Amino acid sequence: MNNAVVRKLALLSGVPLLLLAIPLTGCMKEERGTALSEPEPKAFISFVAPEYSSATKPFFENAVKDFETKYPNIEVELQVINWDHLDSAYTTMISRNQPPDLLLSNMYAHFAKDGLLNNMDELLSPALRKKIYPYFTETGKWSGVRYTVPYAATIRELYYNKDIFNEVGIDGPPTTWRELEDAARKIKSTKQVDGFGLDLTDNEIWAYLSYFFYGAGGGWMKDGEWAINSPKNVEGILFLKELYEKGLTDPEPTVTTRDEKQRILGNGKLGMLISGNYFESVVPREFPGLKWGKGPIPVKEGQTPLVLGVQDIWMSFRTDHTNKEALSKFLDFIYEDARYEEFVIQEGFIPTISTVGEKLAQNDSLMRQNLDWIQHAKFYPIQHPAWSAVLNATRNMGQAVLLGQMTPQLALDRLQQIALSKSQ
């Protein structure tokens, strides 16, 4: 083969190689460009919730898993903490400048006062804001700004063992203090079981103080000012002390918790106690043969029948990595109707959003009643920054008052001083 033919074949064979080189070069440029582009940054949310029951943690774990599947660019860190340790846990986080992005708890205003919280109106979507029952929202505002979203709500009423009442000849729940004392005495003398469950433990004492403050015609505040040591409130505590001294309550009010007392009632060893509406789902499940009834919290003669409303609220702390768009998506997600309905039914709560409340009330007369009554309930003054300090100060006063180490007047004077000092 001569040199001319070789050169010709070489040129012909090179043509497709050159042609192929053109698109290959383009692809290589695109791949290099993709490799150099910045990946979309991940948002991060940490949230802390209390443990209401053994089902609480699995519920939130499943919710986080589903949320991260739907939003793979948002990472969620979850902690579910027993109520007994919740306050100390998040207090430690805050002291280390590592607060959670979201906290579910029962007090917030001291954090708002210190400038630690996000404005919830900047996180709530219009759709979620529209669903929230309005009567829950006022206690979530401090200085006119919404810092909380209600999530878990209950209504406190008097629950009683119907079999015990029938056996001793009591027709229905007592509505006054005199009737409460008479019923407790009749149960104690006839059945030889405790008449009235009184919870002055560190977990619940502020609730029982509220029942008998309001029942006497008093309350934590009057005309926007702290009024803890008012004569009416002192009268309420004196009545509780007298019930205990007469042997008409359970023998260990500062030791046995509300949940333990509910089981004692279910076992037929206690006539009545004040509890939340979760009683209606939790206790009959554990004691399927129990016949129970309920009524308003007994009050002093001449006072208006009383129910107490309690709510636990979401708050959002300002952090170095706060991502309001991610937080808004997460709040929408955990309030989705089917998911939130599961939570409410599982824990025995009252819905705080109308879409779920209306659905559950359609075929449940107890839910309809609870939703109606909570609109007229008294609430803790959680919108006042001093409430946190007042609540904590109540924890150690139950035993001192019952055993005579401190008079009711002196105990309430001290609470009043704490409230005033923390309000400055």
Side-chain angles (χ1 to χ4, degrees):
M1 187 177 296
N2 59 36
N3 291 336
V5 173
V6 171
R7 286 196 300 270
K8 186 175 181 180
L9 289 172
L11 288 171
L12 289 172
S13 63
V15 169
L17 292 174
L18 290 171
L19 291 174
L20 285 170
I22 295 172
L24 284 172
T25 302
C27 289
M28 290 172 67
K29 286 182 180 177
E30 288 179 2
E31 290 173 0
R32 285 198 297 269
T34 302
L36 292 173
S37 65
E38 289 287 337
E40 186 177 346
K42 267 199 168 189
F44 177 78
I45 296 173
S46 62
F47 89 89
V48 173
E51 185 179 46
Y52 294 103
S53 71
S54 60
T56 305
K57 187 175 181 180
F59 170 83
F60 280 123
E61 286 176 338
N62 289 333
V64 167
K65 181 180 178 181
D66 292 344
F67 179 80
E68 290 181 332
T69 299
K70 184 175 181 179
Y71 298 103
N73 286 315
I74 304 176
E75 180 183 350
V76 181
E77 178 187 84
L78 163 69
Q79 291 187 71
V80 177
I81 302 173
N82 184 281
W83 269 112
D84 292 340
H85 309 293
L86 180 67
D87 290 351
S88 61
Y90 67 67
T91 299
T92 300
M93 295 176 198
I94 295 167
S95 69
R96 294 175 177 172
N97 198 28
Q98 296 175 336
D101 294 291
L102 287 172
L103 170 65
L104 180 60
S105 187
N106 54 12
M107 48 190 172
Y108 76 94
H110 56 306
F111 297 135
K113 182 181 179 183
D114 291 341
L116 300 179
L117 301 182
N118 288 311
N119 182 341
M120 272 294 181
D121 280 328
E122 297 176 0
L123 305 182
L124 292 178
S125 67
L128 177 54
R129 190 182 296 115
K130 185 178 180 181
K131 290 197 299 185
I132 298 170
Y133 283 120
Y135 45 82
F136 286 115
T137 60
E138 284 307 309
T139 55
K141 294 179 181 178
W142 181 75
S143 290
V145 178
R146 185 205 303 260
Y147 287 106
T148 74
V149 188
Y151 190 65
T154 63
I155 190 170
R156 303 295 178 88
E157 302 163 272
L158 182 79
Y159 289 87
Y160 64 96
N161 186 312
K162 277 189 172 182
D163 284 336
I164 291 177
F165 270 46
N166 289 336
E167 288 177 34
V168 302
I170 303 174
D171 295 332
T175 59
T176 67
W177 287 356
R178 185 178 296 113
E179 291 175 356
L180 175 67
E181 181 174 345
D182 290 345
R185 181 176 291 106
K186 201 167 188 178
I187 292 168
K188 183 73 173 181
S189 61
T190 306
K191 287 284 294 179
Q192 301 302 307
V193 299
D194 297 325
F196 177 59
L198 175 59
D199 190 346
L200 298 183
T201 66
D202 290 354
N203 293 331
E204 191 75 359
I205 182 172
W206 54 88
Y208 267 75
L209 294 179
S210 299
Y211 306 149
F212 289 88
F213 285 178
Y214 291 125
W220 295 97
M221 309 193 79
K222 183 177 181 181
D223 300 327
E225 302 293 335
W226 289 102
I228 302 174
N229 59 347
S230 70
K232 290 181 178 179
N233 288 352
V234 173
E235 184 180 7
I237 304 308
L238 283 171
F239 174 72
L240 283 184
K241 181 176 169 62
E242 289 170 3
L243 283 182
Y244 170 74
E245 291 174 342
K246 293 174 181 177
L248 302 180
T249 71
D250 62 290
E252 297 182 318
T254 63
V255 177
T256 311
T257 66
R258 178 196 63 215
D259 290 346
E260 292 171 310
K261 294 182 205 298
Q262 289 183 159
R263 295 186 179 94
I264 296 170
L265 186 147
N267 277 322
K269 302 299 183 181
L270 177 66
M272 51 190 165
L273 83 163
I274 300 171
S275 188
N277 58 280
Y278 35 77
F279 179 103
E280 299 164 15
S281 58
V282 174
V283 180
R285 190 186 308 153
E286 193 169 346
F287 302 95
L290 174 66
K291 295 178 182 176
W292 58 273
K294 68 173 184 174
I297 297 169
V299 296
K300 181 184 175 183
E301 285 70 12
Q303 295 298 320
T304 304
L306 168 67
V307 292
L308 183 77
V310 179
Q311 57 175 312
D312 297 335
I313 61 259
W314 290 110
M315 66 201 78
S316 174
F317 286 87
R318 296 178 178 180
T319 67
D320 294 337
H321 56 264
T322 295
N323 186 312
K324 293 183 179 180
E325 182 180 357
L327 290 171
S328 181
K329 288 178 179 178
F330 186 74
L331 287 170
D332 277 344
F333 188 83
I334 60 172
Y335 279 97
E336 285 180 356
D337 285 4
R339 182 170 294 100
Y340 184 65
E341 180 181 336
E342 177 188 350
F343 172 77
V344 167
I345 293 174
Q346 166 188 291
E347 304 291 356
F349 290 145
I350 296 175
T352 61
I353 57 174
S354 59
T355 46
V356 172
E358 290 168 3
K359 178 184 177 183
L360 294 180
Q362 286 179 356
N363 301 310
D364 187 337
S365 60
L366 284 175
M367 181 62 76
R368 284 198 300 273
Q369 183 186 77
N370 290 335
L371 283 167
D372 178 55
W373 282 17
I374 203 168
Q375 296 182 55
H376 311 288
K378 303 284 189 180
F379 284 89
Y380 299 133
I382 64 171
Q383 70 273 34
H384 295 278
W387 173 244
S388 171
V390 171
L391 183 151
N392 285 329
T394 67
R395 296 182 192 272
N396 300 317
M397 64 176 279
Q399 183 169 343
V401 170
L402 288 183
L403 299 182
Q405 300 165 357
M406 183 184 299
T407 66
Q409 182 68 64
L410 178 58
L412 298 189
D413 284 344
R414 290 187 178 181
L415 290 182
Q416 178 74 4
Q417 291 172 3
I418 291 170
L420 294 177
S421 66
K422 293 296 183 179
S423 299
Q424 296 175 358

